[in-house]
Amino acid sequence: MIETGARSFVSLRLPDNTAISLPPGTRVRVERLRRTLLAQSVERRFVVQKGQASGIVTPMTDPHSTFEFLTPRAITSVRGTRFRTSYDPASGATKVEVSEGKVAFREAREGEQSVAAGFGTSDALAAPVPLLAPPDLASPDRSQTGEKLAFVARPVAGAARYRFQIARDAGFLDVLDEAYAPTPQAEFPDLPRGTYFVRLAAIDDHDLEGLASTYSFERRRSRLRTSLEESRAGRYRQFLFRWQAPDAPNASFRFQLSRGADGSAPLVDQTGLTGDAFVITDLAAGTYYWRVMSIEAADGQVYTKWSSTNELRVGTVK
């Protein structure tokens, strides 16, 4: 018996490279893994008691070999395909969605349905229905530099909700987190720097999960803290602008000071700074706005991030 808890994921890889992935809230019993020595045929049977199981099944050349996912209501048989099956013990509903190949879905009362790639069905449907199209991620080239990971997709017609998953690998065998959302956007907690993958799919009114799209993204947390100190040097006032970039120890910086809150027409625009401070002496009375950009080169790319804009009010010296 294999059971996954909240935010827990398990992937099994069989000797022929067939892979089975179990997301959170799933309970699966491995009922049979057997090879017949005389015929060299293989029998594999998994019982989904709760939750969902995804399979990437290596094509079987032996006609007597079998691969089955069972639920209390139905049997899904495959010979080599990418598919997903799920069972909800509260409602008793069994569903299957196929993204590659074909499966046989047998429900005791209704007989067998042949489900081809791009279709899904359940024990409540008389025939398979087309799966929703994969969502397109907005700004797919944007690095994730915020405190949390945030993804926004373009809406899919017919979608009732959306599913987002984060993984270390493009095959999603090493899944880290997932989220369901009523709108095509989701947030995830912080992750260490590195390259990750996000997979997203739309779910229709039959609760069938549509075809998925997968994108790679860079996680580059770029915290940028700023502060300001004022002192006197003789009869002049000095303003010491400071910053800290704990996630980018080798970054350079750009400092801007302007009269406008939008940073336009800067009075000071200093680039190539390698320290953590910039000094301006004897500013005239008035209101100013300042900000700092971190600039970091890594893996053949340049990553930049502006700090928030800070207001500075300089009074008249008395």
Side-chain angles (χ1 to χ4, degrees):
M1 186 73 71
I2 304 170
E3 187 165 3
T4 56
R7 298 188 66 190
S8 299
F9 304 84
V10 169
S11 291
L12 310 178
R13 188 180 294 277
L14 303 183
D16 66 346
N17 283 327
T18 288
I20 300 162
S21 299
L22 310 180
T26 295
R27 184 170 62 246
V28 169
R29 180 163 55 89
V30 184
E31 184 171 272
R32 181 169 296 174
L33 289 175
R34 183 170 65 182
R35 179 185 297 277
T36 303
L37 294 179
L38 184 61
Q40 289 298 301
S41 59
V42 178
E43 295 177 83
R44 293 167 290 187
R45 182 181 299 164
F46 300 84
V47 180
V48 182
Q49 298 183 346
K50 182 181 71 170
Q52 185 184 92
S54 300
I56 304 175
V57 181
T58 300
M60 295 174 284
T61 57
D62 183 87
H64 301 291
S65 294
T66 59
F67 186 104
E68 296 177 329
F69 272 131
L70 283 72
T71 73
R73 297 279 296 271
I75 300 174
T76 302
S77 302
V78 302
R79 297 203 60 80
T81 190
R82 291 174 180 260
F83 72 105
R84 181 175 46 250
T85 189
S86 59
Y87 175 68
D88 181 2
S91 64
T94 297
K95 303 187 299 290
V96 62
E97 301 108 0
V98 181
S99 56
E100 184 179 304
K102 182 184 295 185
V103 306
F105 180 78
R106 297 192 298 276
E107 200 272 325
R109 296 171 302 174
E110 301 295 337
E112 182 173 297
Q113 299 182 40
S114 179
V115 188
F119 287 81
T121 192
S122 71
D123 50 16
L125 294 172
V129 297
L131 299 177
L132 293 180
D136 293 324
L137 187 67
S139 304
D141 298 328
R142 181 176 64 89
S143 298
Q144 293 286 336
T145 60
E147 182 177 346
K148 294 182 178 181
L149 278 69
F151 300 95
V152 178
R154 296 180 177 87
V156 175
R161 58 186 180 131
Y162 297 82
R163 183 187 188 187
F164 293 76
Q165 286 186 306
I166 302 293
R168 287 192 176 93
D169 64 305
F172 280 73
L173 297 180
D174 191 0
V175 180
L176 299 174
D177 207 347
E178 72 173 14
Y180 289 87
T183 59
Q185 53 188 341
E187 286 189 346
F188 293 90
D190 191 13
L191 283 175
R193 284 190 165 198
T195 301
Y196 299 91
F197 298 85
V198 58
R199 182 167 65 186
L200 48 156
I203 301 173
D204 65 16
D205 291 333
H206 301 295
D207 207 31
L208 294 173
E209 186 173 323
L211 299 175
S213 55
T214 301
Y215 298 85
S216 65
F217 68 91
E218 289 292 325
R219 172 55 170 163
R220 303 199 71 84
R221 179 75 181 276
S222 298
R223 290 171 292 178
L224 193 55
R225 309 186 186 106
T226 57
S227 62
L228 174 64
E229 300 174 16
E230 181 181 348
S231 62
R232 297 195 69 87
R235 62 189 183 90
Y236 297 105
R237 285 183 296 183
Q238 286 188 335
F239 298 91
L240 178 61
F241 301 88
R242 291 186 178 275
W243 54 84
Q244 293 179 330
D247 303 305
N250 299 317
S252 62
F253 302 92
R254 177 182 180 183
F255 174 85
Q256 280 189 347
L257 179 77
S258 64
R259 289 284 194 177
D262 61 355
S264 60
L267 303 174
V268 178
D269 191 354
Q270 186 68 45
T271 61
L273 300 173
T274 56
D276 60 358
F278 189 78
V279 177
I280 298 179
T281 301
D282 203 28
L283 281 171
T287 300
Y288 300 87
Y289 299 90
W290 65 279
R291 59 181 182 170
V292 179
M293 173 192 282
S294 64
I295 306 167
E296 183 183 17
D299 303 324
Q301 299 187 58
V302 176
Y303 301 93
T304 62
K305 182 181 180 180
W306 282 110
S307 71
S308 58
T309 299
N310 304 279
E311 183 181 82
L312 169 63
R313 295 186 179 182
V314 179
T316 303
V317 178
K318 297 181 179 179

